Amino acid sequence: MLPTPCTSHVSFDTIYEPSEDSYLFLDTLASPSESAWLTQRFNANPSSPDQPTASPLVVELGTGSGVVLGFVAANSQVIFGRRDILPLGVDVNRNACIATRETATKAIKERQTDNESAETNNQKTVYLSSVMADLGSSLRPGSVDVLLFNPPYVPSEELPRLPSVTEQDVDELGISRSAKFERDSYFLSLTYAGGRDGMETTDRLLDEIPGLLAPGRGVAYVLFCAQNRPQEVKERIRAWGDGWQAETVGNSGQQAGWEKLVIVRIWKETE
């Protein structure tokens, strides 16, 4: 079993604490079947078998503590069959961006030691950066090789507004206890409140996927709960046509209730 990145440095006042959905992502990506699929997809170069393919850009939207992206970065050799992946984190919460950078950097340092086998050529994964942005708005079209998204999926009466940059500059020492509680509660609501059917944010991301993923090899992994109606979502994606596919590759194993979680792989088949 691969180690889970340490998040002891993270303050969970405004950041989502790793939970069942986070760990389902780790288990899914590290599973023998999925790591084999990813290794084949990102190491095969049909036109030039002797030439390595370009380093995969791996982006997580809504990183929270960084436990998922840190895990993927630290264990890139197992998951992708290569070390030269380019991990990039995106979140609307500045605290989450800072936490993710530290989580990923620490995980890589602890997992990828200097005393490595010859097959990795002592190569180490380098964490690119954390970007404060809304979904894929800061990303160049067609640039993302692997997209990871654990969305706010809990149905709620309304979707929380997005935070402004200025309100994240508030000095916490200068605000009252009640104001801090209200502020912390608001930022936490961004991590779970998904609006109608828990799908409002996810629907926005699904609309962006065809334009974000790299042509020929881009793939997205998106988590859903049962109340998000994942089967209908998969059918909708397949209806995009032009080779788009959607399959469940991870499952929490629970048999009933909205808390049953699945991870869907979304990609485009090419001839």
Side-chain angles (χ1 to χ4, degrees):
M1 181 178 294
L2 300 177
T4 301
C6 175
T7 56
S8 61
H9 56 279
V10 180
S11 170
F12 294 109
D13 289 345
T14 62
I15 297 173
Y16 182 72
E17 188 168 1
S19 189
E20 180 186 9
D21 46 8
S22 311
Y23 301 128
L24 178 59
F25 245 108
L26 308 193
D27 291 342
T28 299
L29 294 172
S31 67
S33 58
E34 209 54 31
S35 58
W37 191 90
L38 288 166
T39 296
Q40 191 280 329
R41 191 169 184 85
F42 291 101
N43 286 272
N45 190 344
S47 59
S48 303
D50 296 330
Q51 295 295 321
T53 58
S55 299
L57 176 63
V58 181
V59 178
E60 183 181 10
L61 302 179
T63 56
S65 67
V67 69
V68 173
L69 192 58
F71 177 86
V72 171
N75 297 290
S76 54
Q77 183 66 37
V78 175
I79 297 172
F80 293 97
R82 58 194 299 173
R83 282 280 177 81
D84 62 332
I85 71 166
L86 303 172
L88 177 71
V90 178
D91 204 295
V92 296
N93 183 343
R94 178 180 296 165
N95 291 337
C97 290
I98 295 171
T100 295
R101 182 180 60 199
E102 186 167 355
T103 300
T105 302
K106 282 185 174 181
I108 293 169
K109 183 178 180 180
E110 292 172 1
R111 181 69 174 160
Q112 300 182 11
T113 64
D114 292 328
N115 185 25
E116 295 289 347
S117 62
E119 68 182 48
T120 66
N121 295 318
N122 290 324
Q123 187 178 54
K124 291 185 179 181
T125 303
V126 177
Y127 183 69
L128 282 184
S129 184
S130 291
V131 178
M132 193 166 67
D134 175 34
L135 296 180
S137 61
S138 64
L139 303 172
R140 188 176 65 188
S143 65
V144 181
D145 293 302
V146 181
L147 182 69
L148 310 174
F149 189 43
N150 182 0
Y153 57 78
V154 178
S156 59
E157 291 186 2
E158 59 183 14
L159 198 66
R161 61 174 177 80
L162 293 175
S164 66
V165 174
T166 54
E167 69 184 302
Q168 301 197 53
D169 291 330
V170 174
D171 181 2
E172 293 188 359
L173 297 178
I175 62 176
S176 66
R177 181 178 300 179
S178 60
K180 182 179 184 303
F181 176 80
E182 183 176 342
R183 178 175 177 272
D184 291 351
S185 298
Y186 159 65
F187 275 101
L188 286 177
S189 72
L190 292 168
T191 70
Y192 64 80
R196 185 170 57 86
D197 294 330
M199 283 292 293
E200 290 188 41
T201 300
T202 303
D203 279 338
R204 287 202 298 125
L205 185 275
L206 292 175
D207 289 341
E208 293 182 7
I209 281 179
L212 286 176
L213 295 187
R217 68 174 190 172
V219 57
Y221 291 88
V222 182
L223 183 140
F224 299 89
C225 73
Q227 202 161 333
N228 301 151
R229 303 188 181 101
Q231 190 60 39
E232 293 181 14
V233 174
K234 289 189 291 184
E235 292 171 0
R236 191 204 322 171
I237 293 168
R238 292 167 188 150
W240 293 349
D242 201 25
W244 283 100
Q245 304 292 324
E247 296 293 344
T248 298
V249 293
N251 193 309
S252 65
Q254 298 187 36
Q255 298 303 309
W258 70 265
E259 71 277 7
K260 180 179 179 181
L261 305 173
V262 299
I263 291 179
V264 173
R265 184 214 296 153
I266 304 167
W267 78 105
K268 186 177 181 180
E269 287 285 10
T270 56
E271 296 182 0

